[in-house]
Amino acid sequence: MGDNSAKLNFGGQETDYKVLSGSVGPEVIDIRKLYANTGAFTYDPGFTSTASCESKLTYIDGDQGILLHRGYPIDQLAEQSSFMEVAYLLLRGELPGKSELESFTRTISRHTMLNEQLSTFYRGFRRDAHPMAIMCGVVGALSAFYHDSTDINDPYQRMVASHRLIAKMPTIAAMAYKYSVGQPFVYPRNDLSYTGNFLRMTFSVPAEDYVVDPVIEDAMDKIFILHADHEQNASTSTVRLAGSSGANPFACIAAGIACLWGPAHGGANEAALNMLREIGTVDRIPEYIARAKNKDDPFRLMGFGHRVYKNYDPRAKVMQKTANEVLERLGVKDPVFDVARELEQIALNDPYFVEKKLYPNVDFYSGVILSAIGFPTTMFTVLFALARTVGWVAQWNEMISDPEQKIGRPRQLYTGPTARDYVDVDKR
Ligand code: CMC
């Protein structure tokens, strides 16, 4: 082996491991032969140093605060493209030409309706059910409906399942919202844009005409772009792991939704706005900063910090600008936005946050925007799931077509009891 290898001294034996280079980013030591060579495993809870797959989709440089989709910087995509273009880019690898984009958008719009039977699922939920609980259930239930797109070894069926998921997610999300507020479900309208259709299904009522506000439509589209994909995050890894067994694609996405719900992941946008509301006024910020720094207090500044970004999350920058635009357009004077801006400034200058490289992440400002548009906090993670579905299906497709793909099966460091004999219940 040449220079491009790493040597390991272990158990009195030296073994060599190939070092793989991506197109950009850190080198990766290929330890696949480690167990066969040495009988040892690696230990990496939380996968902080482990590349679980090879991918061509998304690149993050956490130190520089860079996020690229298929090479394109996220701020350029958010400012200049549309969510449909980004969906095409992630799924197919290149930005679409004009007619390709039209054809893709038409295909997606032809899949927006749900099998009517699915609407009965909603009525089984309590009206006060968290919409993410409904999302897990209804998206999982899709696996019982679309049998002609579940042969994962057929690329055509995989693509149909992907289109269905991208297309139906806004319908499912809007219905979850409508159910919670006791309003009738609104059917999709395919003459509207992907995002305009979603806004209409969410906010229109049969009693009145609804006109999509282009500023809100544009802001929402940007939010979807900013959430479309994010490398091997927890929910994407969950989708890949579920999919690695050959599971039904709709069930795999339901697994991703379940993972996304957690407050350390997608649930942080809901938690961030709840926190900003709890703080309420600028004068109370120091109290919360002190709590975030106190090791004995489990409180964390929600919307701050990231596993990968040790710099300003590039998505947060676009989000801050969009928040300004939306609040101005809607004429909303939300004190929560003042608290957010002030909290950001204080935290960015506080040695605790500076030393730990804790910066605002995508969730810090998204809640302010979504709340101004009219979404209740419980819907925030649903919107994240809607947008991330594009990344999930793109990553799932990439995994299935990867010849190196195997069922995901990590090992462990066992610290439980060693073998012992069963003792009859009377003798214990
Ligand atoms: N407030 C206060 N302290 C923090 C915070 C925070 N938000 N985040 C991290 N820290 C501290 C943490 O206490 C630890 O300190 P120490 O080294 O003294 O023990 C240090 O910073 C490193 O934290 P960690 O938990 O080891 O880092 P991680 O990479 O495991 O966690 C994180 C990343 C996002 C879970 C964490 O920063 C966090 O809980 N943030 C708040 C929740 C949040 O906003 N999540 C959204 C993430 S972005 C959306 C997405 O991609 O899903």
Side-chain angles (χ1 to χ4, degrees):
M1 237 170 259
D3 286 349
N4 219 10
S5 73
K7 291 190 190 311
L8 176 74
N9 263 310
F10 178 76
Q13 195 198 352
E14 187 174 89
T15 46
D16 278 312
Y17 299 91
K18 260 197 292 184
V19 175
L20 310 174
S21 300
S23 44
V24 59
E27 293 189 305
V28 172
I29 303 168
D30 180 350
I31 54 151
R32 278 176 289 185
K33 295 245 166 7
L34 181 80
Y35 181 57
N37 286 346
T38 65
F41 298 139
T42 54
Y43 182 63
D44 185 18
F47 310 117
T48 55
S49 301
T50 298
S52 61
C53 62
E54 187 183 318
S55 181
K56 293 183 169 55
L57 283 161
T58 297
Y59 173 73
I60 304 175
D61 181 331
D63 294 326
Q64 303 287 325
I66 290 171
L67 168 61
L68 309 175
H69 287 332
R70 303 271 192 193
Y72 296 101
I74 190 67
D75 47 325
Q76 289 183 24
L77 292 173
E79 296 292 348
Q80 295 169 49
S81 79
S82 68
F83 184 61
M84 279 295 96
E85 274 184 78
V86 173
Y88 185 100
L89 174 70
L90 287 169
L91 271 177
R92 308 274 166 90
E94 293 298 333
L95 284 169
K98 204 165 181 293
S99 64
E100 287 164 330
L101 180 60
E102 276 165 16
S103 154
F104 179 71
T105 307
R106 200 175 319 114
T107 304
I108 294 295
S109 69
R110 291 287 150 76
H111 284 295
T112 49
M113 282 177 66
L114 288 188
N115 183 302
E116 195 62 19
Q117 190 65 18
L118 267 163
S119 62
T120 59
F121 275 72
Y122 287 82
R123 304 194 199 287
F125 285 95
R126 289 167 53 131
R127 289 272 173 191
D128 63 356
H130 195 290
M132 281 299 274
I134 299 182
M135 295 300 287
C136 289
V138 175
V139 174
L142 293 178
S143 51
F145 283 81
Y146 299 102
H147 301 300
D148 58 341
S149 58
T150 54
D151 177 358
I152 62 156
N153 297 313
D154 176 351
Y156 175 74
Q157 291 204 26
R158 283 208 302 274
M159 207 38 82
V160 175
S162 305
H163 292 160
R164 281 186 168 141
L165 277 155
I166 294 170
K168 292 183 196 308
M169 208 56 88
T171 316
I172 296 170
M175 285 168 75
Y177 171 71
K178 285 298 193 198
Y179 187 71
S180 73
V181 290
Q183 291 179 1
F185 297 142
V186 176
Y187 285 113
R189 276 265 307 269
N190 294 345
D191 56 328
L192 296 174
S193 72
Y194 182 87
T195 304
N197 177 44
F198 171 65
L199 288 169
R200 184 179 166 279
M201 285 192 292
T202 306
F203 293 121
S204 73
V205 289
E208 281 174 20
D209 284 339
Y210 179 83
V211 180
V212 179
D213 180 328
V215 174
I216 304 305
E217 185 181 12
D218 183 58
M220 206 63 230
D221 209 65
K222 278 200 180 77
I223 292 178
F224 288 161
I225 293 173
L226 295 175
H227 287 90
D229 193 40
H230 211 229
E231 212 224 44
Q232 306 310 320
N233 58 85
S235 57
T236 300
S237 298
T238 301
V239 170
R240 278 187 178 256
L241 193 57
S244 75
S245 71
N248 179 294
F250 300 99
C252 293
I253 301 304
I257 293 173
C259 177
L260 186 75
W261 192 0
H265 192 6
N269 52 15
E270 183 178 345
L273 190 72
N274 288 339
M275 176 194 77
L276 293 172
R277 288 226 171 98
E278 191 185 308
I279 297 175
T281 48
V282 169
D283 58 302
R284 296 189 61 203
I285 293 174
E287 181 195 326
Y288 283 83
I289 294 272
R291 283 188 62 194
K293 288 155 58 172
N294 181 356
K295 283 264 157 266
D296 300 325
D297 189 331
F299 174 78
R300 283 187 168 199
L301 271 197
M302 299 315 284
F304 256 79
H306 198 273
R307 168 61 61 79
V308 181
Y309 294 117
K310 303 301 166 198
N311 200 326
Y312 215 105
D313 180 339
R315 302 168 300 172
K317 282 192 186 143
V318 184
M319 214 51 110
Q320 190 195 38
K321 189 163 164 258
T322 309
N324 269 321
E325 286 163 9
V326 167
L327 295 194
E328 193 175 311
R329 163 73 189 185
L330 296 173
V332 172
K333 283 251 166 289
D334 190 343
V336 146
F337 194 41
D338 300 330
V339 173
R341 273 191 291 216
E342 187 61 21
L343 179 61
E344 177 186 344
Q345 282 319 310
I346 294 177
L348 287 178
N349 290 302
D350 187 297
Y352 173 92
F353 291 88
V354 173
E355 275 156 29
K356 294 187 190 305
K357 299 188 176 166
L358 299 169
Y359 291 84
N361 60 46
V362 67
D363 294 321
F364 193 64
Y365 284 107
S366 61
V368 175
I369 310 174
L370 297 174
S371 163
I373 293 176
F375 290 102
T377 48
T378 52
M379 277 297 286
F380 293 179
T381 316
V382 173
L383 303 175
F384 193 158
L386 186 168
R388 184 57 57 86
T389 296
V390 162
W392 289 333
V393 295
Q395 300 260 0
W396 172 80
N397 270 291
E398 182 178 61
M399 178 192 69
I400 306 279
S401 40
D402 182 349
E404 306 239 353
Q405 190 264 325
K406 281 174 186 286
I407 184 167
R409 176 48 170 102
R411 303 307 300 259
Q412 62 173 8
L413 172 66
Y414 177 70
T415 53
T418 52
R420 47 184 172 166
D421 287 324
Y422 176 81
V423 179
D424 195 79
V425 70
D426 301 332
K427 301 198 177 120
R428 275 177 237 155

